[in-house]
Amino acid sequence: MENVRSLIDILELSVEEIDGLVATATDIIANPAAYAHKCDGRILATLFFEPSTRTRLSFESAMLSLGGQVLGFSEAASSSAAKGESVADTVRTVSCYSDIIAMRHPKEGAPLVASMHSTVPVINAGDGGHNHPTQTLTDLMTIHHEKGRFENLTIGFCGDLKFGRTVHSLISAMSRYRGTRIVLISPEELKLPSYVKKEVLQRCGIEYIQTTDLEAVMPQLDILYMTRVQRERFFNEEDYLRLKDSYILTAEKLWNAKEDLSILHPLPRVNEISVAVDRDPRAAYFKQVRYGRYIRMALILKLLGIN
Ligand code: NCD
C-alpha cells in the first residue's frame, strides 16, 4: 500500500536508519518515562500463525510500554485461517482494527503478501526459514552495546544455518559493514543456503569460511552466534535426532576464545549452550532479550511516524 511503510526484510532499513533506531532504543532505556505515552490510543495486532514466546511478548511489551494497546492471536488454530481464510483477507480485516501489525507465519513470503493488502504497517516477525528482521535489530542493538561498533567484526554462526532465519537476516545486515568476516560453522546437511551465499556474501564481497569445527575457529571470533536446530522445519524426525546435538557449547570449549568474545543466541535454547556458560561474562543472550523490547519500541515509533 502506498504511503505505508512496512518492514519485511532488514535491508529495507538503511544503515543510517539502523543507527537511528539503536539511538532511539538507547534513549528509551535511559528515559523510559519520556516514551510512556507516545502510542496512547494506538493498537498493535500480533498475528502469530506459528508459536513464539519472546518475539510476540516482546512486541506486546514494547507497545504497552509506549502506552498503546494490543490484540491478536498466538496460533493459527485460533484464527479464521483454520476456516481457510487467506492471509490477504485476514490482514484486510485486521488493518481495520489496528494501527500496526506484527506477523509471524510458517510460509516464506506471507508477511510480504500481507503488507501488499494492509492499510497499516506490517512487520515481519519471522517467515518460515527465510527472514526475521526484528530479531536482527535485536542482534544489532546487542552488538552495538557489547562491541561499540559494527565494523571490523568476525562473526561465527554456529548450528542450523540452513533453516535458521535469524542467521540469514543477520548475515544480510552485517554484509553492509566494512571489515565484516563471517565464519559458518555447521554440519554438512545444515549449511547456509547457496542463495544467501550468492546473493549476500559473494555479491557484497564478504570474506567467509565454512567449517564443521567450532573449536578450531574459536580464537578468531569476536561474536559467536549460536542457534537451535530448527526441528519444525525438518521433513523427518530421524534427521533431526541425528543432527540436534551437533554443537553443544560448554565452558570448556571456550578455553581458547577471545576474552572479549560476545556469545549471542536468538533463543529458545535447547541443548546447544550448556547452562554453565550462562555465568560466563561473555554470555550476552539474556541481555539480548532485554534489548529486543527497546529496539521494537523504537521500530514501532518509526513505522507509525511518531517522534
Ligand atoms: C528465533 C526464531 O523464531 O526464528 N527465535 C526468536 O525469534 N527469538 C530462533 C529460533 O526459534 O530458534
Side-chain angles (χ1 to χ4, degrees):
M1 289 273 162
E2 267 174 69
N3 300 325
V4 172
R5 182 152 184 208
S6 290
L7 179 65
I8 305 302
D9 186 300
I10 191 68
L11 295 180
E12 293 162 12
L13 293 167
S14 67
V15 289
E16 292 76 20
E17 286 179 310
I18 286 175
D19 290 345
L21 288 170
V22 169
T24 304
T26 305
D27 192 53
I28 295 172
I29 294 172
N31 305 297
Y35 294 86
H37 295 286
K38 293 264 186 195
C39 283
D40 281 357
R42 309 287 186 118
I43 296 174
L44 164 79
T46 50
L47 310 187
F48 276 61
F49 295 86
E50 204 183 68
S52 163
T53 309
R54 258 152 305 277
T55 306
R56 184 171 58 83
L57 296 184
S58 109
F59 268 112
E60 296 189 359
S61 167
M63 191 48 148
L64 294 171
S65 308
L66 291 166
Q69 290 177 292
V70 297
L71 51 81
F73 53 83
S74 55
E75 50 178 343
S78 60
S79 79
S80 283
K83 300 181 187 165
E85 188 177 49
S86 68
V87 163
D89 283 4
T90 302
V91 154
R92 267 192 204 113
T93 305
V94 175
S95 34
C96 301
Y97 304 150
S98 62
D99 301 288
I100 186 162
I101 295 172
M103 175 188 274
R104 170 170 289 192
H105 203 287
K107 276 209 192 105
E108 286 82 1
L112 173 65
V113 172
S115 70
M116 288 152 62
H117 296 277
S118 175
T119 53
V120 303
V122 174
I123 302 172
N124 178 5
D127 62 329
H130 190 217
N131 275 326
H132 194 347
T134 63
Q135 180 62 45
T136 301
L137 289 173
T138 303
D139 302 338
L140 292 171
M141 173 85 177
T142 311
I143 292 171
H144 181 83
H145 279 260
E146 290 290 299
K147 297 283 165 224
R149 65 180 198 277
F150 292 129
E151 292 79 22
N152 300 314
L153 291 170
T154 298
I155 310 180
F157 289 90
C158 179
D160 187 346
L161 310 189
K162 179 178 182 188
F163 297 118
R165 55 193 172 196
T166 65
V167 171
H168 308 156
S169 292
L170 184 55
I171 287 178
S172 287
M174 291 307 297
S175 69
R176 296 191 291 189
Y177 298 105
R178 204 169 11 91
T180 294
R181 283 186 70 240
I182 304 275
V183 180
L184 303 167
I185 309 140
S186 73
E188 254 333 282
E189 293 97 321
L190 298 178
K191 276 160 75 175
L192 190 73
S194 52
Y195 84 88
V196 184
K197 271 183 241 162
K198 280 202 201 93
E199 289 169 26
V200 183
L201 295 176
Q202 287 160 15
R203 207 176 66 190
C204 300
I206 300 294
E207 199 186 319
Y208 73 95
I209 57 167
Q210 293 191 94
T211 178
T212 53
D213 190 346
L214 172 60
E215 280 174 273
V217 294
M218 190 72 91
Q220 306 175 24
L221 307 179
D222 298 306
I223 294 165
L224 172 57
Y225 194 95
M226 293 297 297
T227 62
R228 165 181 78 89
V229 175
Q230 307 276 301
R231 179 181 207 155
E232 64 278 32
R233 316 248 178 258
F234 275 75
F235 291 111
N236 72 68
E237 184 74 0
E238 260 165 58
D239 285 348
Y240 169 71
L241 293 174
R242 185 166 50 80
L243 293 166
K244 74 181 175 66
D245 292 328
S246 301
Y247 298 95
I248 299 178
L249 183 67
T250 57
E252 293 71 38
K253 287 187 188 152
L254 287 164
W255 71 273
N256 61 353
K258 286 189 181 172
E259 253 171 50
D260 66 346
L261 171 75
S262 299
I263 306 166
L264 273 61
H265 190 309
L267 303 181
R269 153 175 64 184
V270 185
N271 271 334
E272 57 282 349
I273 302 182
S274 93
V275 290
V277 175
D278 299 358
R279 289 192 297 273
D280 190 302
R282 293 169 289 191
Y285 31 92
F286 288 111
K287 284 191 236 172
Q288 202 177 344
V289 176
R290 182 168 172 267
Y291 289 136
R293 172 180 173 199
Y294 299 108
I295 199 82
R296 287 186 175 92
M297 289 171 77
L299 179 67
I300 290 170
L301 291 173
K302 181 175 178 67
L303 295 181
L304 290 177
I306 298 170
N307 292 314

